[in-house]
Amino acid sequence: MALITVMLTAPLVHADGVMFIQSGAFWMGRDDAGADEAPLHRVYVGAFWLERHKVTNAEFAEFLDARGATCTHSSSANEARPDRRAPEPCEGAPTVIQKIVDPVYGKHPVAVSWYGARDYCAWRGRRLPTEAEWEKAARGADGRRYPWGDATPTAAHAVFGRPYNATEPGEGRPAGASPYGVHDLIGNLREWTATMLKPYPYRHDDGREPFIGTGRVVVRGASHDDPVETPSVTRRLSYDRRRAAAGHHFVGFRCATSDDLGEVAPGGRR
């Protein structure tokens, strides 16, 4: 009698739109690309949760409404420690400002500064993912080139090769999901991380985590106006503090957390 082996795949674990990435080591970087992506090496990442989609214009507008009008004031001391700059009420500003988003673009990913992304995640009780967390969530454990595998990107996988500002909603391309069920990691908008740029091998204890406004912050993923040759899960870009504060039309974000969310994530998204 023939012996039949059945391979069972563990179901994806998610809590209302936030996907669980289990702890363990994975292959980070590559040896056949730019020097900043080498060498290919093993990195251990603790368990964490990552939002399935990038934060949208509508969601960020909700945050701005809840926070109210604020300005960032800095003294000479704070200039040396930009992580200590705190939003304060703007002088002469109204107490209530309602942000209205065009419904056509409400579900498109929002492009904001690194500081805006950081503050939004904190408002949600979360944080930006580290560079290693981002790559593990995008790559899985098999060293693939794209979240979906090694197949050349198509429009069914990701948003790329588009004109300036021609983004799309993050949902609707399940073929481009990562092994952990995270969508839209490649294309549409690049994503801010919580990591300072330093050479590989990646170390959690060498001062690169977290980025606090000094040095260069790592940006991962690809943008809607990148060509098809650009996207990969290992590509690294970075911006200095000034550019992180100004933001870019091609950089968005999503939030992460190390908290145990259980079966339902309060305030999460489906």
Side-chain angles (χ1 to χ4, degrees), residues 1-154:
M1 185 174 75
L3 177 64
I4 300 175
T5 302
V6 179
M7 299 298 291
L8 298 178
T9 302
L12 296 175
V13 180
H14 62 90
D16 199 18
V18 192
M19 311 306 291
F20 180 67
I21 291 83
Q22 61 263 42
S23 62
F26 78 105
W27 288 106
M28 187 171 189
R30 57 192 290 194
D31 293 325
D32 58 349
D36 65 334
E37 298 178 32
L40 178 68
H41 58 293
R42 296 283 281 175
V43 176
Y44 178 87
V45 174
F48 69 102
W49 297 77
L50 187 66
E51 292 175 347
R52 180 187 288 131
H53 299 293
K54 293 176 173 70
V55 174
T56 67
N57 287 310
E59 289 167 334
F60 199 78
E62 181 183 1
F63 157 65
L64 294 177
D65 288 340
R67 190 177 69 165
T70 61
C71 290
T72 298
H73 301 281
S74 61
S75 63
S76 58
N78 284 339
E79 283 294 327
R81 290 293 306 277
D83 57 306
R84 291 184 175 174
R85 294 185 300 170
E88 300 174 7
C90 295
E91 183 178 354
T95 56
V96 177
I97 296 181
Q98 184 175 9
K99 308 297 180 185
I100 300 175
V101 177
D102 186 332
V104 174
Y105 298 101
K107 290 188 176 182
H108 287 230
V110 66
V112 297
S113 71
W114 181 87
Y115 292 97
R118 176 201 63 181
D119 291 352
Y120 174 92
C121 289
W123 176 69
R124 290 284 305 278
R126 296 174 185 170
R127 57 176 174 78
L128 289 170
T130 67
E131 182 182 13
E133 288 175 336
W134 189 97
E135 186 166 328
K136 182 173 183 180
R139 196 174 201 182
D142 58 6
R144 60 185 59 196
R145 183 171 183 177
Y146 306 107
W148 56 87
D150 293 319
T152 301
T154 69

Side-chain angles (χ1 to χ4, degrees), residues 54 134 146-148 157-159 184-188 191 221-222 231-233:
K54 293 176 173 70
W134 189 97
Y146 306 107
W148 56 87
H157 295 113
V159 178
D184 210 29
L185 284 159
I186 294 291
N188 227 353
E191 300 184 27
S232 81
V233 293

